[in-house]
Amino acid sequence: MNRRARVEKLRRMLNEQGLDGILITQPRNSLYLSGFGPSVQPDEIAGALLITEDDSILMTSFIYLEQAEREAPAFRLFKVERGDEGMVKALSGLLEEMGAKRVGFEAEHLTFARYQKWASIAAELVATSGLVEEIRAIKDQEEIEAIRRAVALADETSAHLREYIRPGLTEREVVWEAEVYMRQRGAEKIAFDLIVAGGPNGALPHATTTERALREGEPIVIDIGARVESYHSDLTRTIYLGEPDAKFQEVYTLVRRAQESALGGIRAGMKGKEADGLARQVIEEAGYGEYFGHGLGHGVGLAVHEKPRVTQTSEEELQPGMTLTVEPGIYIPGWGGVRIEDLVVIGEEGVEVLSKASKEPTLLSPGIL
Ligand code: ZN
Ligand code: ZN
């Protein structure tokens, strides 16, 4: 694990920004840099990393102390009293000792209320945005291997659901089946609230799972993902119970063509919006542009949604080693939706598609035959 190289990259960024150090409170960023806290919730403050030019300190309280010692051996442990007062006191002491004047904090994570309390430390707190996230966007081999395992588990689950699904099952029953299946086969947890959206429910890109029963003659959007070794997968397939009608065939074929255009055309060096355009153009030319209301994809790693953004406006440059979802969709109110989502890794020439789940939409389940 080349955590040291990650910290060095961050130090170069601090230098460019004229900062004497940075406080890392975002748990996924702490995990990425130090190894500490795979079990810490993304919105929790379980401590902070204080990284300066020549020191790497993990500040945490009694609750996490032993865990931190095990998980982050390369960091100097510093015990703080619980609560904001404890943190302010410890920080002030450390920064004074180091002579640090300007210290960055993660503006996207530290709440305003907490900032107001922490701002009483001896040094100036400077807002930073997305520094560690930028380093995280490019994955090393070990990270890609973990993502591959998470993807394989989602693929297996997708295959299992193709056997399991039949008319009459509710969306919630299918979600639960997928969840249990993944957990029994090694997922630490599910990557997000899984989505099974039948018929009109599928017209909402982030549908809430309901008690509605699946029926023949409707599209069903299934969006699943697993977490393995702290890394995620994200996979969507759309199926149709029974023989697809002309409308479904038209929409499905179009989404599939749009996805193929992106999978075949994405190259390192492109901007996010150019990648998005590869799929969007196909859908727009067929007259369905207004029904593709979200970006083409997003990075996936320690978080399910992370850099890079691949949207109509994204100026972010795609680079080798980035992982990315490619997920065009068409959502028609009252009718339903079709989305096909794969996870890819960007290479020197084109992308490698990690997802292998079947894209055959027709499902002739035992309940129909
Ligand atoms: Zn998804
Ligand atoms: Zn996604």
Side-chain angles (χ1 to χ4, degrees):
M1 192 63 66
N2 51 0
R3 296 217 157 84
R4 185 187 295 266
R6 298 171 185 174
V7 172
E8 284 310 320
K9 271 188 198 164
L10 180 60
R11 287 197 169 114
R12 281 199 289 278
M13 289 172 157
L14 298 182
N15 211 296
E16 283 162 19
Q17 309 228 348
L19 295 170
D20 300 320
I22 189 167
L23 270 172
I24 302 291
T25 52
Q26 209 283 339
R28 297 292 166 267
N29 290 342
S30 294
L31 174 64
Y32 181 74
L33 295 170
S34 73
F36 167 64
S39 61
V40 175
Q41 298 302 310
D43 55 357
E44 193 181 349
I45 295 238
L49 303 183
L50 174 59
I51 294 173
T52 62
E53 202 178 336
D54 34 39
D55 221 341
S56 307
I57 301 168
L58 199 175
M59 309 171 68
T60 191
S61 69
F62 169 80
I63 294 180
Y64 283 106
L65 207 59
E66 192 179 337
Q67 196 174 324
E69 199 168 0
R70 273 189 223 171
E71 292 170 347
F75 275 63
R76 175 153 78 95
L77 267 189
F78 193 92
K79 188 183 173 187
V80 296
E81 296 306 318
R82 293 201 69 203
D84 292 314
E85 267 174 43
M87 185 58 89
V88 167
K89 200 172 135 210
L91 260 182
S92 292
L94 281 168
L95 293 172
E96 214 163 312
E97 180 190 307
M98 294 170 170
K101 300 268 181 293
R102 298 184 81 234
V103 180
F105 71 96
E106 298 184 286
E108 262 115 19
H109 182 254
L110 200 73
T111 63
F112 184 62
R114 187 155 268 134
Y115 166 80
Q116 284 181 309
K117 290 174 189 157
W118 290 21
S120 63
I121 60 168
E124 180 192 356
L125 275 181
V126 181
T128 69
S129 173
L131 297 185
V132 182
E133 285 82 351
E134 195 181 315
I135 307 173
R136 270 169 54 184
I138 297 173
K139 273 71 181 172
D140 60 34
Q141 277 313 314
E142 220 169 307
E143 294 182 284
I144 291 171
E145 288 314 310
I147 291 169
R148 270 183 210 281
R149 285 189 279 276
V151 168
L153 195 45
D155 284 345
E156 272 175 56
T157 308
S158 177
H160 171 67
L161 291 182
R162 295 179 69 86
E163 304 277 313
Y164 173 79
I165 286 178
R166 64 196 62 206
L169 288 172
T170 67
E171 293 173 353
R172 273 194 198 154
E173 283 172 315
V174 179
V175 159
W176 180 240
E177 179 70 17
E179 190 163 340
V180 169
Y181 190 89
M182 285 196 284
R183 292 296 301 265
Q184 283 174 336
R185 280 158 188 78
E188 291 159 1
K189 49 161 74 182
I190 48 170
F192 48 85
D193 286 342
L194 308 183
I195 296 173
V196 173
N201 292 348
L204 315 168
H206 273 187
T208 312
T209 302
T210 70
E211 293 287 2
R212 187 179 186 278
L214 302 178
R215 35 186 109 145
E216 225 178 305
E218 285 179 346
I220 304 167
V221 179
I222 302 172
D223 193 347
I224 57 176
R227 190 176 107 174
V228 175
E229 294 157 55
S230 297
Y231 285 83
H232 297 87
S233 55
D234 190 2
L235 173 82
T236 306
R237 289 294 181 263
T238 303
I239 57 171
Y240 194 93
L241 286 176
E243 287 295 345
D245 61 11
K247 173 84 171 174
F248 178 80
Q249 275 177 351
E250 183 198 341
V251 175
Y252 192 87
T253 307
L254 183 57
V255 174
R256 183 109 195 237
R257 272 208 297 127
Q259 200 205 25
E260 273 160 15
S261 161
L263 293 176
I266 292 176
R267 294 284 180 278
M270 270 184 180
K271 286 179 175 174
K273 64 180 183 185
E274 293 173 284
D276 178 277
L278 292 169
R280 194 168 303 278
Q281 194 186 357
V282 174
I283 291 175
E284 276 173 358
E285 277 169 8
Y288 282 92
E290 63 177 303
Y291 301 112
F292 177 20
H294 57 71
L296 179 66
H298 52 86
V300 177
L302 290 173
V304 184
H305 294 101
E306 58 180 44
K307 285 191 179 185
R309 286 172 56 239
V310 180
T311 64
Q312 274 177 285
T313 55
S314 172
E315 299 283 341
E316 290 170 33
E317 189 191 315
L318 302 181
Q319 298 172 52
M322 286 181 166
T323 47
L324 195 70
T325 66
V326 176
E327 50 177 311
I330 290 178
Y331 309 90
I332 304 174
W335 179 76
V338 169
R339 179 167 68 254
I340 309 173
E341 175 180 33
D342 283 324
L343 192 49
V344 308
V345 55
I346 299 175
E348 296 293 342
E349 291 162 45
V351 304
E352 181 194 349
V353 183
L354 303 179
S355 322
K356 305 280 185 253
S358 168
K359 289 179 192 172
E360 169 54 52
T362 309
L363 206 67
L364 298 171
S365 81
I368 295 172
L369 290 174

PDB file of all heavy atoms in Angstrom, residues 290-320:
ATOM      1  N   GLU A 290     -34.366  15.033 -23.953  1.00  0.00           N
ATOM      2  CA  GLU A 290     -34.961  15.578 -22.719  1.00  0.00           C
ATOM      3  C   GLU A 290     -35.192  14.499 -21.658  1.00  0.00           C
ATOM      4  O   GLU A 290     -35.456  14.801 -20.499  1.00  0.00           O
ATOM      5  CB  GLU A 290     -36.279  16.286 -23.030  1.00  0.00           C
ATOM      6  CG  GLU A 290     -37.327  15.355 -23.592  1.00  0.00           C
ATOM      7  CD  GLU A 290     -38.686  16.032 -23.846  1.00  0.00           C
ATOM      8  OE1 GLU A 290     -39.236  16.596 -22.887  1.00  0.00           O
ATOM      9  OE2 GLU A 290     -39.156  15.983 -25.000  1.00  0.00           O
ATOM     10  N   TYR A 291     -35.129  13.230 -22.046  1.00  0.00           N
ATOM     11  CA  TYR A 291     -35.378  12.150 -21.094  1.00  0.00           C
ATOM     12  C   TYR A 291     -34.085  11.568 -20.484  1.00  0.00           C
ATOM     13  O   TYR A 291     -34.132  10.593 -19.757  1.00  0.00           O
ATOM     14  CB  TYR A 291     -36.181  11.026 -21.765  1.00  0.00           C
ATOM     15  CG  TYR A 291     -37.512  11.498 -22.305  1.00  0.00           C
ATOM     16  CD1 TYR A 291     -37.758  11.547 -23.677  1.00  0.00           C
ATOM     17  CD2 TYR A 291     -38.524  11.899 -21.430  1.00  0.00           C
ATOM     18  CE1 TYR A 291     -38.982  11.983 -24.162  1.00  0.00           C
ATOM     19  CE2 TYR A 291     -39.746  12.342 -21.909  1.00  0.00           C
ATOM     20  CZ  TYR A 291     -39.969  12.387 -23.275  1.00  0.00           C
ATOM     21  OH  TYR A 291     -41.178  12.819 -23.745  1.00  0.00           O
ATOM     22  N   PHE A 292     -32.954  12.171 -20.850  1.00  0.00           N
ATOM     23  CA  PHE A 292     -31.676  11.729 -20.276  1.00  0.00           C
ATOM     24  C   PHE A 292     -31.204  12.867 -19.373  1.00  0.00           C
ATOM     25  O   PHE A 292     -30.386  13.675 -19.748  1.00  0.00           O
ATOM     26  CB  PHE A 292     -30.681  11.449 -21.417  1.00  0.00           C
ATOM     27  CG  PHE A 292     -29.288  11.044 -20.982  1.00  0.00           C
ATOM     28  CD1 PHE A 292     -29.019  10.545 -19.714  1.00  0.00           C
ATOM     29  CD2 PHE A 292     -28.224  11.153 -21.880  1.00  0.00           C
ATOM     30  CE1 PHE A 292     -27.737  10.174 -19.331  1.00  0.00           C
ATOM     31  CE2 PHE A 292     -26.937  10.781 -21.512  1.00  0.00           C
ATOM     32  CZ  PHE A 292     -26.690  10.291 -20.240  1.00  0.00           C
ATOM     33  N   GLY A 293     -31.769  12.905 -18.159  1.00  0.00           N
ATOM     34  CA  GLY A 293     -31.609  14.086 -17.317  1.00  0.00           C
ATOM     35  C   GLY A 293     -30.465  14.062 -16.325  1.00  0.00           C
ATOM     36  O   GLY A 293     -30.424  14.873 -15.410  1.00  0.00           O
ATOM     37  N   HIS A 294     -29.531  13.139 -16.471  1.00  0.00           N
ATOM     38  CA  HIS A 294     -28.385  13.154 -15.545  1.00  0.00           C
ATOM     39  C   HIS A 294     -27.103  12.963 -16.331  1.00  0.00           C
ATOM     40  O   HIS A 294     -27.133  12.730 -17.548  1.00  0.00           O
ATOM     41  CB  HIS A 294     -28.536  12.079 -14.458  1.00  0.00           C
ATOM     42  CG  HIS A 294     -28.697  10.675 -14.969  1.00  0.00           C
ATOM     43  ND1 HIS A 294     -27.665   9.971 -15.567  1.00  0.00           N
ATOM     44  CD2 HIS A 294     -29.757   9.839 -14.983  1.00  0.00           C
ATOM     45  CE1 HIS A 294     -28.082   8.770 -15.898  1.00  0.00           C
ATOM     46  NE2 HIS A 294     -29.361   8.664 -15.573  1.00  0.00           N
ATOM     47  N   GLY A 295     -25.986  13.085 -15.651  1.00  0.00           N
ATOM     48  CA  GLY A 295     -24.695  12.940 -16.308  1.00  0.00           C
ATOM     49  C   GLY A 295     -24.429  11.493 -16.709  1.00  0.00           C
ATOM     50  O   GLY A 295     -25.101  10.572 -16.239  1.00  0.00           O
ATOM     51  N   LEU A 296     -23.429  11.311 -17.556  1.00  0.00           N
ATOM     52  CA  LEU A 296     -23.132   9.960 -18.041  1.00  0.00           C
ATOM     53  C   LEU A 296     -22.555   9.069 -16.951  1.00  0.00           C
ATOM     54  O   LEU A 296     -22.791   7.863 -16.948  1.00  0.00           O
ATOM     55  CB  LEU A 296     -22.148  10.034 -19.217  1.00  0.00           C
ATOM     56  CG  LEU A 296     -21.745   8.682 -19.795  1.00  0.00           C
ATOM     57  CD1 LEU A 296     -22.937   7.978 -20.449  1.00  0.00           C
ATOM     58  CD2 LEU A 296     -20.608   8.829 -20.802  1.00  0.00           C
ATOM     59  N   GLY A 297     -21.791   9.647 -16.024  1.00  0.00           N
ATOM     60  CA  GLY A 297     -21.198   8.776 -15.020  1.00  0.00           C
ATOM     61  C   GLY A 297     -20.406   9.517 -13.966  1.00  0.00           C
ATOM     62  O   GLY A 297     -20.382  10.740 -13.935  1.00  0.00           O
ATOM     63  N   HIS A 298     -19.756   8.726 -13.117  1.00  0.00           N
ATOM     64  CA  HIS A 298     -19.024   9.271 -11.979  1.00  0.00           C
ATOM     65  C   HIS A 298     -17.917   8.301 -11.607  1.00  0.00           C
ATOM     66  O   HIS A 298     -18.001   7.107 -11.915  1.00  0.00           O
ATOM     67  CB  HIS A 298     -19.977   9.465 -10.795  1.00  0.00           C
ATOM     68  CG  HIS A 298     -20.788   8.225 -10.450  1.00  0.00           C
ATOM     69  ND1 HIS A 298     -20.311   7.238  -9.621  1.00  0.00           N
ATOM     70  CD2 HIS A 298     -22.008   7.798 -10.869  1.00  0.00           C
ATOM     71  CE1 HIS A 298     -21.210   6.273  -9.520  1.00  0.00           C
ATOM     72  NE2 HIS A 298     -22.256   6.581 -10.283  1.00  0.00           N
ATOM     73  N   GLY A 299     -16.906   8.804 -10.923  1.00  0.00           N
ATOM     74  CA  GLY A 299     -15.869   7.931 -10.398  1.00  0.00           C
ATOM     75  C   GLY A 299     -16.432   7.054  -9.287  1.00  0.00           C
ATOM     76  O   GLY A 299     -17.434   7.391  -8.663  1.00  0.00           O
ATOM     77  N   VAL A 300     -15.785   5.896  -9.072  1.00  0.00           N
ATOM     78  CA  VAL A 300     -16.183   4.985  -8.003  1.00  0.00           C
ATOM     79  C   VAL A 300     -14.914   4.488  -7.320  1.00  0.00           C
ATOM     80  O   VAL A 300     -13.938   4.156  -7.995  1.00  0.00           O
ATOM     81  CB  VAL A 300     -16.950   3.759  -8.568  1.00  0.00           C
ATOM     82  CG1 VAL A 300     -17.288   2.773  -7.459  1.00  0.00           C
ATOM     83  CG2 VAL A 300     -18.217   4.192  -9.295  1.00  0.00           C
ATOM     84  N   GLY A 301     -14.925   4.464  -6.001  1.00  0.00           N
ATOM     85  CA  GLY A 301     -13.758   3.972  -5.270  1.00  0.00           C
ATOM     86  C   GLY A 301     -14.117   3.772  -3.823  1.00  0.00           C
ATOM     87  O   GLY A 301     -15.010   2.992  -3.505  1.00  0.00           O
ATOM     88  N   LEU A 302     -13.448   4.504  -2.922  1.00  0.00           N
ATOM     89  CA  LEU A 302     -13.785   4.447  -1.500  1.00  0.00           C
ATOM     90  C   LEU A 302     -15.174   5.037  -1.273  1.00  0.00           C
ATOM     91  O   LEU A 302     -15.812   4.757  -0.269  1.00  0.00           O
ATOM     92  CB  LEU A 302     -12.749   5.213  -0.670  1.00  0.00           C
ATOM     93  CG  LEU A 302     -11.362   4.561  -0.585  1.00  0.00           C
ATOM     94  CD1 LEU A 302     -10.380   5.490   0.107  1.00  0.00           C
ATOM     95  CD2 LEU A 302     -11.426   3.230   0.151  1.00  0.00           C
ATOM     96  N   ALA A 303     -15.624   5.872  -2.175  1.00  0.00           N
ATOM     97  CA  ALA A 303     -17.016   6.354  -2.171  1.00  0.00           C
ATOM     98  C   ALA A 303     -17.680   5.863  -3.453  1.00  0.00           C
ATOM     99  O   ALA A 303     -17.002   5.599  -4.444  1.00  0.00           O
ATOM    100  CB  ALA A 303     -17.056   7.871  -2.104  1.00  0.00           C
ATOM    101  N   VAL A 304     -19.015   5.755  -3.414  1.00  0.00           N
ATOM    102  CA  VAL A 304     -19.722   5.305  -4.623  1.00  0.00           C
ATOM    103  C   VAL A 304     -19.734   6.422  -5.668  1.00  0.00           C
ATOM    104  O   VAL A 304     -19.703   6.159  -6.860  1.00  0.00           O
ATOM    105  CB  VAL A 304     -21.170   4.871  -4.309  1.00  0.00           C
ATOM    106  CG1 VAL A 304     -21.832   4.316  -5.558  1.00  0.00           C
ATOM    107  CG2 VAL A 304     -21.189   3.837  -3.216  1.00  0.00           C
ATOM    108  N   HIS A 305     -19.823   7.654  -5.197  1.00  0.00           N
ATOM    109  CA  HIS A 305     -19.760   8.788  -6.120  1.00  0.00           C
ATOM    110  C   HIS A 305     -18.547   9.616  -5.764  1.00  0.00           C
ATOM    111  O   HIS A 305     -18.490  10.193  -4.688  1.00  0.00           O
ATOM    112  CB  HIS A 305     -21.019   9.665  -6.014  1.00  0.00           C
ATOM    113  CG  HIS A 305     -22.253   8.963  -6.481  1.00  0.00           C
ATOM    114  ND1 HIS A 305     -23.166   8.417  -5.622  1.00  0.00           N
ATOM    115  CD2 HIS A 305     -22.715   8.702  -7.724  1.00  0.00           C
ATOM    116  CE1 HIS A 305     -24.141   7.850  -6.323  1.00  0.00           C
ATOM    117  NE2 HIS A 305     -23.889   8.003  -7.600  1.00  0.00           N
ATOM    118  N   GLU A 306     -17.573   9.672  -6.641  1.00  0.00           N
ATOM    119  CA  GLU A 306     -16.405  10.507  -6.380  1.00  0.00           C
ATOM    120  C   GLU A 306     -15.874  11.047  -7.696  1.00  0.00           C
ATOM    121  O   GLU A 306     -16.475  10.836  -8.753  1.00  0.00           O
ATOM    122  CB  GLU A 306     -15.350   9.721  -5.588  1.00  0.00           C
ATOM    123  CG  GLU A 306     -14.847   8.443  -6.253  1.00  0.00           C
ATOM    124  CD  GLU A 306     -13.805   7.726  -5.383  1.00  0.00           C
ATOM    125  OE1 GLU A 306     -13.991   7.604  -4.162  1.00  0.00           O
ATOM    126  OE2 GLU A 306     -12.786   7.283  -5.951  1.00  0.00           O
ATOM    127  N   LYS A 307     -14.760  11.748  -7.627  1.00  0.00           N
ATOM    128  CA  LYS A 307     -14.193  12.303  -8.852  1.00  0.00           C
ATOM    129  C   LYS A 307     -13.731  11.172  -9.761  1.00  0.00           C
ATOM    130  O   LYS A 307     -13.299  10.151  -9.262  1.00  0.00           O
ATOM    131  CB  LYS A 307     -13.000  13.207  -8.507  1.00  0.00           C
ATOM    132  CG  LYS A 307     -13.432  14.534  -7.942  1.00  0.00           C
ATOM    133  CD  LYS A 307     -12.239  15.473  -7.877  1.00  0.00           C
ATOM    134  CE  LYS A 307     -12.699  16.832  -7.335  1.00  0.00           C
ATOM    135  NZ  LYS A 307     -11.651  17.835  -7.346  1.00  0.00           N
ATOM    136  N   PRO A 308     -13.756  11.313 -11.050  1.00  0.00           N
ATOM    137  CA  PRO A 308     -14.170  12.498 -11.806  1.00  0.00           C
ATOM    138  C   PRO A 308     -15.675  12.542 -12.059  1.00  0.00           C
ATOM    139  O   PRO A 308     -16.351  11.518 -12.041  1.00  0.00           O
ATOM    140  CB  PRO A 308     -13.437  12.298 -13.133  1.00  0.00           C
ATOM    141  CG  PRO A 308     -13.440  10.816 -13.325  1.00  0.00           C
ATOM    142  CD  PRO A 308     -13.275  10.243 -11.938  1.00  0.00           C
ATOM    143  N   ARG A 309     -16.178  13.729 -12.292  1.00  0.00           N
ATOM    144  CA  ARG A 309     -17.563  13.903 -12.710  1.00  0.00           C
ATOM    145  C   ARG A 309     -17.604  13.839 -14.229  1.00  0.00           C
ATOM    146  O   ARG A 309     -16.770  14.445 -14.904  1.00  0.00           O
ATOM    147  CB  ARG A 309     -18.089  15.263 -12.254  1.00  0.00           C
ATOM    148  CG  ARG A 309     -18.384  15.339 -10.758  1.00  0.00           C
ATOM    149  CD  ARG A 309     -18.705  16.750 -10.321  1.00  0.00           C
ATOM    150  NE  ARG A 309     -19.807  17.282 -11.094  1.00  0.00           N
ATOM    151  CZ  ARG A 309     -19.743  18.377 -11.851  1.00  0.00           C
ATOM    152  NH1 ARG A 309     -18.660  19.065 -11.937  1.00  0.00           N
ATOM    153  NH2 ARG A 309     -20.778  18.807 -12.547  1.00  0.00           N
ATOM    154  N   VAL A 310     -18.550  13.082 -14.745  1.00  0.00           N
ATOM    155  CA  VAL A 310     -18.707  13.023 -16.200  1.00  0.00           C
ATOM    156  C   VAL A 310     -20.121  13.489 -16.514  1.00  0.00           C
ATOM    157  O   VAL A 310     -21.066  12.713 -16.537  1.00  0.00           O
ATOM    158  CB  VAL A 310     -18.447  11.598 -16.730  1.00  0.00           C
ATOM    159  CG1 VAL A 310     -18.625  11.551 -18.239  1.00  0.00           C
ATOM    160  CG2 VAL A 310     -17.030  11.167 -16.366  1.00  0.00           C
ATOM    161  N   THR A 311     -20.252  14.797 -16.665  1.00  0.00           N
ATOM    162  CA  THR A 311     -21.553  15.425 -16.893  1.00  0.00           C
ATOM    163  C   THR A 311     -21.447  16.356 -18.092  1.00  0.00           C
ATOM    164  O   THR A 311     -20.363  16.545 -18.648  1.00  0.00           O
ATOM    165  CB  THR A 311     -21.964  16.267 -15.674  1.00  0.00           C
ATOM    166  OG1 THR A 311     -21.002  17.331 -15.534  1.00  0.00           O
ATOM    167  CG2 THR A 311     -21.963  15.453 -14.399  1.00  0.00           C
ATOM    168  N   GLN A 312     -22.556  16.968 -18.427  1.00  0.00           N
ATOM    169  CA  GLN A 312     -22.585  17.880 -19.570  1.00  0.00           C
ATOM    170  C   GLN A 312     -21.665  19.077 -19.394  1.00  0.00           C
ATOM    171  O   GLN A 312     -21.303  19.723 -20.373  1.00  0.00           O
ATOM    172  CB  GLN A 312     -24.017  18.401 -19.769  1.00  0.00           C
ATOM    173  CG  GLN A 312     -24.871  17.507 -20.614  1.00  0.00           C
ATOM    174  CD  GLN A 312     -26.287  18.048 -20.702  1.00  0.00           C
ATOM    175  OE1 GLN A 312     -27.050  17.951 -19.755  1.00  0.00           O
ATOM    176  NE2 GLN A 312     -26.643  18.608 -21.839  1.00  0.00           N
ATOM    177  N   THR A 313     -21.335  19.414 -18.155  1.00  0.00           N
ATOM    178  CA  THR A 313     -20.550  20.632 -17.922  1.00  0.00           C
ATOM    179  C   THR A 313     -19.154  20.346 -17.368  1.00  0.00           C
ATOM    180  O   THR A 313     -18.382  21.273 -17.160  1.00  0.00           O
ATOM    181  CB  THR A 313     -21.272  21.547 -16.910  1.00  0.00           C
ATOM    182  OG1 THR A 313     -21.529  20.791 -15.725  1.00  0.00           O
ATOM    183  CG2 THR A 313     -22.587  22.076 -17.467  1.00  0.00           C
ATOM    184  N   SER A 314     -18.825  19.071 -17.145  1.00  0.00           N
ATOM    185  CA  SER A 314     -17.574  18.771 -16.445  1.00  0.00           C
ATOM    186  C   SER A 314     -16.334  19.071 -17.293  1.00  0.00           C
ATOM    187  O   SER A 314     -16.159  18.566 -18.397  1.00  0.00           O
ATOM    188  CB  SER A 314     -17.554  17.296 -16.025  1.00  0.00           C
ATOM    189  OG  SER A 314     -16.278  16.973 -15.517  1.00  0.00           O
ATOM    190  N   GLU A 315     -15.454  19.880 -16.714  1.00  0.00           N
ATOM    191  CA  GLU A 315     -14.186  20.216 -17.378  1.00  0.00           C
ATOM    192  C   GLU A 315     -13.072  19.290 -16.895  1.00  0.00           C
ATOM    193  O   GLU A 315     -11.919  19.442 -17.290  1.00  0.00           O
ATOM    194  CB  GLU A 315     -13.796  21.666 -17.060  1.00  0.00           C
ATOM    195  CG  GLU A 315     -14.794  22.722 -17.536  1.00  0.00           C
ATOM    196  CD  GLU A 315     -14.703  22.989 -19.037  1.00  0.00           C
ATOM    197  OE1 GLU A 315     -13.654  22.642 -19.636  1.00  0.00           O
ATOM    198  OE2 GLU A 315     -15.677  23.526 -19.602  1.00  0.00           O
ATOM    199  N   GLU A 316     -13.383  18.358 -16.004  1.00  0.00           N
ATOM    200  CA  GLU A 316     -12.341  17.493 -15.435  1.00  0.00           C
ATOM    201  C   GLU A 316     -11.758  16.588 -16.523  1.00  0.00           C
ATOM    202  O   GLU A 316     -12.492  16.025 -17.327  1.00  0.00           O
ATOM    203  CB  GLU A 316     -12.926  16.650 -14.291  1.00  0.00           C
ATOM    204  CG  GLU A 316     -13.245  17.493 -13.070  1.00  0.00           C
ATOM    205  CD  GLU A 316     -14.042  16.733 -12.010  1.00  0.00           C
ATOM    206  OE1 GLU A 316     -13.859  15.517 -11.866  1.00  0.00           O
ATOM    207  OE2 GLU A 316     -14.863  17.398 -11.331  1.00  0.00           O
ATOM    208  N   GLU A 317     -10.434  16.450 -16.501  1.00  0.00           N
ATOM    209  CA  GLU A 317      -9.774  15.650 -17.533  1.00  0.00           C
ATOM    210  C   GLU A 317      -9.708  14.191 -17.117  1.00  0.00           C
ATOM    211  O   GLU A 317      -9.311  13.860 -16.001  1.00  0.00           O
ATOM    212  CB  GLU A 317      -8.359  16.192 -17.767  1.00  0.00           C
ATOM    213  CG  GLU A 317      -7.701  15.559 -18.968  1.00  0.00           C
ATOM    214  CD  GLU A 317      -6.206  15.894 -19.060  1.00  0.00           C
ATOM    215  OE1 GLU A 317      -5.847  17.066 -18.866  1.00  0.00           O
ATOM    216  OE2 GLU A 317      -5.423  14.954 -19.319  1.00  0.00           O
ATOM    217  N   LEU A 318     -10.086  13.309 -18.023  1.00  0.00           N
ATOM    218  CA  LEU A 318     -10.026  11.880 -17.738  1.00  0.00           C
ATOM    219  C   LEU A 318      -8.586  11.393 -17.911  1.00  0.00           C
ATOM    220  O   LEU A 318      -7.917  11.748 -18.867  1.00  0.00           O
ATOM    221  CB  LEU A 318     -10.971  11.116 -18.672  1.00  0.00           C
ATOM    222  CG  LEU A 318     -12.432  11.564 -18.580  1.00  0.00           C
ATOM    223  CD1 LEU A 318     -13.308  10.739 -19.517  1.00  0.00           C
ATOM    224  CD2 LEU A 318     -12.949  11.460 -17.146  1.00  0.00           C
ATOM    225  N   GLN A 319      -8.139  10.585 -16.941  1.00  0.00           N
ATOM    226  CA  GLN A 319      -6.748  10.136 -16.964  1.00  0.00           C
ATOM    227  C   GLN A 319      -6.650   8.637 -16.738  1.00  0.00           C
ATOM    228  O   GLN A 319      -7.524   8.052 -16.093  1.00  0.00           O
ATOM    229  CB  GLN A 319      -5.968  10.859 -15.857  1.00  0.00           C
ATOM    230  CG  GLN A 319      -5.917  12.368 -16.043  1.00  0.00           C
ATOM    231  CD  GLN A 319      -5.297  13.058 -14.836  1.00  0.00           C
ATOM    232  OE1 GLN A 319      -4.206  12.687 -14.411  1.00  0.00           O
ATOM    233  NE2 GLN A 319      -5.983  14.031 -14.287  1.00  0.00           N
ATOM    234  N   PRO A 320      -5.580   8.025 -17.242  1.00  0.00           N
ATOM    235  CA  PRO A 320      -5.399   6.585 -17.021  1.00  0.00           C
ATOM    236  C   PRO A 320      -5.429   6.261 -15.527  1.00  0.00           C
ATOM    237  O   PRO A 320      -4.862   7.006 -14.723  1.00  0.00           O
ATOM    238  CB  PRO A 320      -4.011   6.308 -17.611  1.00  0.00           C
ATOM    239  CG  PRO A 320      -3.802   7.394 -18.616  1.00  0.00           C
ATOM    240  CD  PRO A 320      -4.492   8.596 -18.054  1.00  0.00           C
TER     241      PRO A 320
END
